[in-house]
Amino acid sequence: MEANCVIQPWKRYVSVFILFSATINTLSAVTHYSIPEEMEEGSVVANLAADLGLDVKTLSRRKMRLDIIAKKKYLDVNKETGELYVVEKIDREYLCASKTATTCFLKLDATIENPIRIFNIELEIMDINDNAPHFRRDSIHLDISESTPTGERFSLNNAVDSDVGTNSVKTYYLSESEHFNIEVQTGRDGSKFADLILKKTLDREEQAVHNLILTAVDGGVPARSGTASIIVRVLDTNDNAPQFEKDNYNINIMENYPFGSLVVKLNATDIDDGTNSDIVYSFSLYTSEKAKGTFSLNPANGEIRVKEMINYEDFRIYDMEVIATDKGANSLSGQCKLTLLVTDMNDNHPEISIKSFQSPVKEDIAVDTVIAVVSVSDKDSGDNGKVDIHIADQLPFALRESSDNYYELVVSQPLDREKVPEYEITFTVTDRGSPPLSDNETTTLELLDVNDNVPQFPQSFYTIPVMENNAPGALLSSLTAFDPDLHENQYLVYFIIEKEIVNTSMSMLFSINPENGNLYALKTFDYEIEKEFLFHIEARDSGVPPLSSNVTVHVIIVDQNDNTPVIVSPWRAHGSVVEEKIPRSTDKGSLVSKVIAIDTDSVQNSRITYQFLQVTDATLFSLDQYNGEIRTMRMFSYRDPRHQRLVVIAKDNGEPALSATVTIKLSTVETAVKAYSDMTEVPLEYDIFSDLNLYLVIGLGSVSFLLLITILVTCVLKCQKPMPSKAAPPSRNSVISERNSTIADSTLVSNDAYWYSLFLAETRKGKLVVRQPVPKAGSRYIVSSLPRSTGLTETSDSAASTLQVRVYS
């Protein structure tokens, strides 16, 4: 670093300083310093106070300062030491960017006061190699034709360097290349530039693009450099002819190939570029008109397609030659040969012919019977002409080859028209070509019906409930059978299988419509006489021979509440009024009388209950609703009327309920009359006649008469078989109740009869007992009197007679 002082006249600054003080007469001098650029901040340039001859101690007091240049303060003075130092790094290229000189100065003014003095300072900024060469563009593009001769020059963009002198661009280097090198040139201003020289002929088809690297190096120490890429694109010339992939093509094509189908796509390539590589395809003169008429050639893409029908039988080989021509200025061309071999294909469908067919046939046709003969054929040859025939697997038929290409259709399984009435038989023939072709023929086989099915009833047993008292001719049920056969084999006739019941034929009780199986009743049924019928109905078809089946029919007669209860106790001599006498001294709870009614209906309808319909004094008597016992509820008083009238109604359990009434007229007497026993017998006086003596005589006579009849009946039963149809004359002590109001013989006996005894009443002559069975069909009630000698236990002192009621089924 050096300092040079240059004395200049002070008149240069007169115009400036005269404004501040008229006493300034100090001369100004220029102080010169030289420093390199990019010095670190704080670096000392020189001791400015010493160089200017100023006292360091007065710098602060005299307010020493430096000018600010371009809004930046690069330098400053240390007022303590008087040293000039760097405040901010100085970039020479920034300060002197527009200068063409090799030197760069920074001029400053230093000012102090008391008195005011101004010092001129000139600072030279020395250049250092702090900038590398660079190109204005990173890549340089060149288009060079492949026909360019060697030695041709191509100018390149030069590199620039902000540094000056030896630090600027010194030379250029090119990356290794067998086709190019460079030559460095020096301009008038001393700048360096390079020319690219072609040293070897280019071939675009060999290498279309060349990538080079150009490097610029400066003269600094150490040297700096910059690079740019050179992209050389080789321009094409039409120097290559189109070429096919192969010179000869052998192509197999099937006959009947579809119109427009692609046969082959020829591909010729031209390694040139642009229009030099665009190719047009065409047939040469060596291609026949037949080939041109059968096939089309796309000039743009080389596709050969089918234009007309290809028939193996007409033409088997097609020879063609195709030319590929480029579109260059001087067009070049290449050619290839094609041989198209037509392959025979399976284009004929097999045929089937039905020579004979038997339809309809009976469904019982024997297995292995021939029902059809068919023949097959195919116009093709080889495997294409071999034909296979088959039918559906699920059919009960089979095909059997009889001779060459002739087949028989036979029955393989038993046939059943009721399951399948007819068969659609499809004969399918298929050849062995690839792909195989097939044809089919369908025919219908109809089956004739055979009477091989018996009529079937939906049920094997029918239970038909019939309400008694039905109207004759009423429809009971429809017993319809089904026969799956056809026509006369399906027409059914219905019969009732004859069966006699008590010398009565079923056809007299029921009838059936022979056409539809409707079953009718021919008579009115009575549950009390007939309770059920069991017989068979047969359904027979009209086939030859006819087939039949039968079903069991169980007709159950359902009971109706059609019988009114019959009051059998107390016994009524005249009309429906019963007159009895009881002593006034009868105790409370004594049995006065007992009402017993019987009903010939079924158990449910014959269940009887009793109740008072009318009573003179409701506080005096009670009636048990289930057994009909009438008892005193208290003892008689003198206020009670002498005559008591009791009307008792006996109702059954039917819907609607039926009933019967009895009127009991009780007369109280002062004489001692023995009361009814609480156990089984209660004395009862019949006031039939007003004269008691006459009543006793008649009672004894009646008992004797009944005893005599009983003996006679016993003898008759021992001597002869009982006849249910015979009748005996009625008597006062013998009553026979029957639904048809006939008088039955009191001597009738049945093994089905069973008995139970009910206490009715007791007179002075005997006691009355009713033996009642559970009602059954055809029941008959027989009421008779038994004398005391029957062995019944007496319960009173008076004579007793027993009324017997027998019921026969």
Side-chain angles (χ1 to χ4, degrees), residues 457-601:
F457 285 93
Q459 301 172 220
S460 60
F461 189 89
Y462 286 86
T463 300
I464 304 174
V466 179
M467 190 68 68
E468 67 171 331
N469 301 318
N470 60 288
L475 176 64
L476 304 183
S477 181
S478 180
L479 308 176
T480 304
F482 172 74
D483 193 324
D485 291 324
L486 289 179
H487 308 306
E488 67 274 3
N489 298 330
Q490 187 185 37
Y491 300 146
L492 302 181
V493 180
Y494 299 89
F495 306 92
I496 297 178
I497 299 178
E498 290 295 338
K499 178 182 178 182
E500 291 190 357
I501 302 177
V502 193
N503 297 325
T504 301
S505 174
M506 277 297 167
S507 58
M508 300 179 63
L509 302 176
F510 303 97
S511 71
I512 190 168
N513 190 318
E515 295 181 356
N516 57 24
N518 288 342
L519 183 65
Y520 299 91
L522 296 180
K523 59 168 289 186
T524 301
F525 296 108
D526 190 346
Y527 173 83
E528 287 71 32
I529 300 176
E530 308 100 354
K531 289 184 172 54
E532 62 182 9
F533 300 94
L534 192 68
F535 56 93
H536 299 281
I537 290 179
E538 178 182 309
R540 183 184 305 163
D541 61 27
S542 302
V544 179
L547 300 177
S548 64
S549 64
N550 58 68
V551 66
T552 302
V553 179
H554 184 202
V555 178
I556 299 176
I557 308 302
V558 180
D559 182 49
Q560 277 187 333
N561 191 27
D562 57 345
N563 290 286
T564 303
V566 176
I567 297 176
V568 298
S569 175
W571 179 56
R572 293 164 290 180
H574 302 287
S576 61
V577 178
V578 176
E579 295 184 358
E580 295 186 0
K581 295 181 180 181
I582 59 172
R584 294 185 65 86
S585 61
T586 300
D587 294 333
K588 174 184 177 181
S590 298
L591 181 64
V592 176
S593 181
K594 186 169 185 177
V595 179
I596 296 176
I598 59 176
D599 193 324
T600 59
D601 288 323

Side-chain angles (χ1 to χ4, degrees), residues 35-41 43 86 89-93 125-126 128 130-131:
I35 63 171
E37 64 176 329
E38 303 293 339
M39 285 186 67
E40 298 293 332
E41 296 175 0
S43 300
V86 178
K89 282 185 178 183
I90 301 173
D91 186 358
R92 179 185 179 281
E93 289 74 28
I125 308 300
M126 307 299 293
I128 64 173
D130 59 342
N131 291 283

Side-chain angles (χ1 to χ4, degrees), residues 311-603:
N311 194 341
Y312 174 81
E313 290 72 24
D314 294 341
F315 222 81
R316 301 185 180 183
I317 300 176
Y318 294 89
D319 292 319
M320 293 178 284
E321 186 179 66
V322 178
I323 297 177
T325 306
D326 61 27
K327 296 182 181 180
N330 297 316
S331 61
L332 302 176
S333 64
Q335 61 275 343
C336 71
K337 292 183 178 180
L338 287 84
T339 301
L340 299 183
L341 302 175
V342 180
T343 303
D344 185 27
M345 67 177 297
N346 188 25
D347 56 346
N348 291 292
H349 287 263
E351 297 178 354
I352 182 172
S353 175
I354 300 177
K355 300 301 181 181
S356 67
F357 185 74
Q358 182 182 354
S359 179
V361 297
K362 291 186 177 181
E363 63 176 320
D364 61 349
I365 186 172
V367 174
D368 211 33
T369 301
V370 177
I371 59 176
V373 176
V374 297
S375 66
V376 296
S377 62
D378 194 321
K379 296 179 181 179
D380 293 322
S381 60
D383 288 341
N384 296 335
K386 295 179 180 179
V387 179
D388 297 319
I389 182 170
H390 66 276
I391 59 175
D393 294 336
Q394 65 270 19
L395 294 177
F397 306 102
L399 285 170
R400 183 173 61 194
E401 187 173 5
S402 59
S403 60
D404 190 18
N405 292 332
Y406 278 83
Y407 295 86
E408 295 176 343
L409 181 68
V410 298
V411 179
S412 61
Q413 299 175 19
L415 306 181
D416 189 349
R417 189 211 59 81
E418 286 70 36
K419 293 181 179 179
V420 182
E422 64 180 21
Y423 291 92
E424 294 286 337
I425 304 174
T426 301
F427 299 94
T428 302
V429 288
T430 307
D431 61 25
R432 299 181 186 178
S434 179
L437 298 179
S438 63
D439 197 3
N440 60 70
E441 183 76 21
T442 301
T443 186
T444 302
L445 176 65
E446 182 182 355
L447 299 184
L448 297 177
D449 184 52
V450 175
N451 192 26
D452 56 349
N453 291 279
V454 298
Q456 296 291 331
F457 285 93
Q459 301 172 220
S460 60
F461 189 89
Y462 286 86
T463 300
I464 304 174
V466 179
M467 190 68 68
E468 67 171 331
N469 301 318
N470 60 288
L475 176 64
L476 304 183
S477 181
S478 180
L479 308 176
T480 304
F482 172 74
D483 193 324
D485 291 324
L486 289 179
H487 308 306
E488 67 274 3
N489 298 330
Q490 187 185 37
Y491 300 146
L492 302 181
V493 180
Y494 299 89
F495 306 92
I496 297 178
I497 299 178
E498 290 295 338
K499 178 182 178 182
E500 291 190 357
I501 302 177
V502 193
N503 297 325
T504 301
S505 174
M506 277 297 167
S507 58
M508 300 179 63
L509 302 176
F510 303 97
S511 71
I512 190 168
N513 190 318
E515 295 181 356
N516 57 24
N518 288 342
L519 183 65
Y520 299 91
L522 296 180
K523 59 168 289 186
T524 301
F525 296 108
D526 190 346
Y527 173 83
E528 287 71 32
I529 300 176
E530 308 100 354
K531 289 184 172 54
E532 62 182 9
F533 300 94
L534 192 68
F535 56 93
H536 299 281
I537 290 179
E538 178 182 309
R540 183 184 305 163
D541 61 27
S542 302
V544 179
L547 300 177
S548 64
S549 64
N550 58 68
V551 66
T552 302
V553 179
H554 184 202
V555 178
I556 299 176
I557 308 302
V558 180
D559 182 49
Q560 277 187 333
N561 191 27
D562 57 345
N563 290 286
T564 303
V566 176
I567 297 176
V568 298
S569 175
W571 179 56
R572 293 164 290 180
H574 302 287
S576 61
V577 178
V578 176
E579 295 184 358
E580 295 186 0
K581 295 181 180 181
I582 59 172
R584 294 185 65 86
S585 61
T586 300
D587 294 333
K588 174 184 177 181
S590 298
L591 181 64
V592 176
S593 181
K594 186 169 185 177
V595 179
I596 296 176
I598 59 176
D599 193 324
T600 59
D601 288 323
S602 63
V603 176

